[in-house]
Every structure is written in structure tokens, then in C-alpha cells.
């Protein structure tokens, strides 16, 4: 293929833009915040599960305390009722029976109140445990939020850079002969992102291999408007005064 030296040099500008685009895309994909956010999100999910478990245990203790308080209320009502009946009764036998029942009820109330105190202590401990889990979850979510903001700011900056580079690329690519541009794209696809390279001091700028022997002779003998390729990596070799040939 034929292309003027000036047109071939434009491939270096295009390649430089494509290389920068690759770098920007790589930066966007490998921002440190991505891994940090993923790790913290995993921790936050674990914290949510811990909070859910502790909240469930807290609800169980509250239910238990409510049941005990209800039992205490029932016993106290019976004590009031039997006390009123004992005061109103004139039967010694009935009064004695009521006094015995009242004694049993007061003991039952005392037992329930002791149990109630124990459960109330467990409730306080469980409430503190839930508060601790909530604080840990909130702290992790806060850190995730800060990292997400930093990530989004960096991604926005990289997106701006990509936009600028894309405009520059369109300008350079549109000025190239169609056949030369197509050849570059074909070589770039085969070269994993590298389609053209400067030949400097007889060395390919893409694969860093130095031309020798017949390969060097072939490039030397090629007309300056002939498109030549690196025999090792296949990139278009752009010859300049730096080529050393």
C-alpha cells in the first residue's frame, strides 16, 4: 500500500490517542475504590445480617418481658380481688382459704418480679448489642458512601478525558485516506491495541525488536511512500529521521 510519509506519521498521532484511550479505560476499570467498595459492601452486608439477628433476639426478649409483665398484672389483680373478698367475708373458713391463696399469689408475684428483673437486664444487654450493630453498619455504609463519591468524581473526570480523546481521534482518523485507516484498524485489532509504531534506531516501538539482516534491508529499500510492517509484531512501521536506516 502507498501512503505519503506525512500520512504515515499521522498514524503515530492516531496510535498515541488510542494508547491514551486504552490507559484511561484501564484506569476507569481498575480504580482503587472499586475493590475497596466491594470489600466494605461485603462487610456491610455481614453487619446487616448481624443486626437482623440481634434485632430478632431483642424482639424475643421484649416478647418474653411482655408475657411476664402480663402474668404479674394478672397475679396483682387476683391479689386485689382476693383481698377485697377477704375483707368483705364473715366466714373464718373462707378468710383462711383466701389468706392461703393470697400468700401463694404474693410468692408467685415475687418469683415473677425476680424473673422480670433478670429479663430486663437481658433486654438492656440486647438493646446495647443492637445499638452496637447499628453503629457498625452505619459506619461501614458511611465509608462506602465516601468512597462511592470519590469513585464517581474520578469516573466523571475519566469520562471527560475519554470524550476529549474521542473527538481528537475522530479528527485525526477522518483526515487519513480510507484505505490507510482501514489497514491501521486491522493491524490494531491483530496487535491488541497497537496498529502503528515509530521505527527508531532500527527498533520497532511496538514490540521493541531491532531490525537486522534481510528485514532491515527490505525496509531500507522500500520507497518512502510504501507502507512497511514490523516482521515480528506486524505493526505498521512509520519511518522518520529517527529510524536510523
Amino acid at each position: 500500500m502507498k501512503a505519503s510519509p506525512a500520512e504515515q506519521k499521522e498514524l503515530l498521532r492516531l496510535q498515541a490517542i488510542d494508547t491514551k484511550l486504552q490507559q484511561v479505560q484501564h484506569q476507569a476499570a481498575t480504580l482503587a475504590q472499586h475493590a475497596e467498595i466491594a470489600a466494605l459492601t461485603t462487610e456491610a452486608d455481614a453487619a446487616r445480617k448481624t443486626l437482623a439477628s440481634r434485632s430478632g433476639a431483642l424482639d424475643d426478649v421484649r416478647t418474653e418481658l411482655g408475657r411476664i409483665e402480663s402474668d404479674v398484672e394478672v397475679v396483682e389483680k387476683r391479689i386485689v380481688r382476693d383481698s377485697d373478698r377477704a375483707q368483705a367475708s364473715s366466714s373464718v373458713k373462707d378468710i383462711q382459704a383466701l389468706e392461703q391463696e393470697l400468700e401463694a399469689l404474693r410468692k408467685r408475684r415475687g418469683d415473677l418480679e425476680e424473673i422480670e428483673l433478670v429479663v430486663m437486664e437481658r433486654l438492656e444487654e440486647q438493646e446495647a448489642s443492637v445499638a452496637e450493630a447499628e453503629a457498625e453498619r452505619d459506619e461501614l455504609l458511611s465509608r462506602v458512601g465516601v468512597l462511592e463519591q470519590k469513585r464517581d468524581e474520578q469516573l466523571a473526570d475519566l469520562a471527560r478525558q475519554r470524550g476529549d480523546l474521542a473527538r481528537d481521534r475522530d479528527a485525526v482518523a477522518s483526515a487519513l485516506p480510507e484505505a490507510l485507516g482501514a489497514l491501521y484498524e486491522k493491524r490494531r485489532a491483530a496487535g491488541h491495541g497497537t496498529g502503528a509504531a515509530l521505527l527508531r534506531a532500527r527498533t520497532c516501538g511496538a514490540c521493541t525488536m531491532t531490525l537486522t539482516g534481510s528485514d532491515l534491508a527490505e525496509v531500507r529499500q522500500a520507497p518512502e511512500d510504501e507502507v512497511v510492517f514490523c516482521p515480528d509484531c506486524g505493526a505498521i512501521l512509520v519511518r522518520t529521521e529517527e529510524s536510523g536506516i
Side-chain angles (χ1 to χ4, degrees), residues 172-228:
V172 174
S174 62
L176 290 173
E178 184 177 346
L180 182 61
L183 176 62
Y184 168 80
E185 294 297 344
K186 182 178 179 180
R187 294 287 171 157
R188 188 166 73 93
H192 305 289
T194 300
L198 174 64
L199 179 63
R200 177 186 284 121
R202 301 191 299 278
T203 299
C204 173
C207 64
T208 70
M209 295 299 291
T210 300
L211 299 185
T212 59
S214 60
D215 292 332
L216 177 59
E218 184 177 343
V219 171
R220 277 176 172 164
Q221 293 166 9
E224 64 177 9
D225 64 347
E226 182 73 26
V227 176
V228 297

Side-chain angles (χ1 to χ4, degrees), residues 104-138:
L105 287 170
R106 293 188 183 100
K107 184 179 183 307
R108 173 61 176 161
R109 182 178 62 183
D111 293 341
L112 287 172
E113 288 174 343
E114 287 183 6
I115 296 172
E116 185 178 19
L117 287 174
V118 172
V119 174
M120 288 177 68
E121 289 178 358
R122 286 170 51 205
L123 179 64
E124 290 179 1
E125 292 174 355
Q126 202 61 45
E127 286 175 339
S129 179
V130 167
E132 180 184 14
E134 286 178 338
E136 181 180 0
R137 177 207 59 189
D138 293 345

Side-chain angles (χ1 to χ4, degrees), residues 26-44:
H26 178 73
Q27 282 181 270
T30 59
L31 285 176
Q33 287 85 357
H34 291 320
E36 293 172 356
I37 289 170
L40 285 178
T41 299
T42 299
E43 290 185 46

Side-chain angles (χ1 to χ4, degrees), residues 67 75 91 105 110 130 155:
R67 184 170 58 250
V75 171
S91 168
L105 287 170
V130 167
L155 287 176

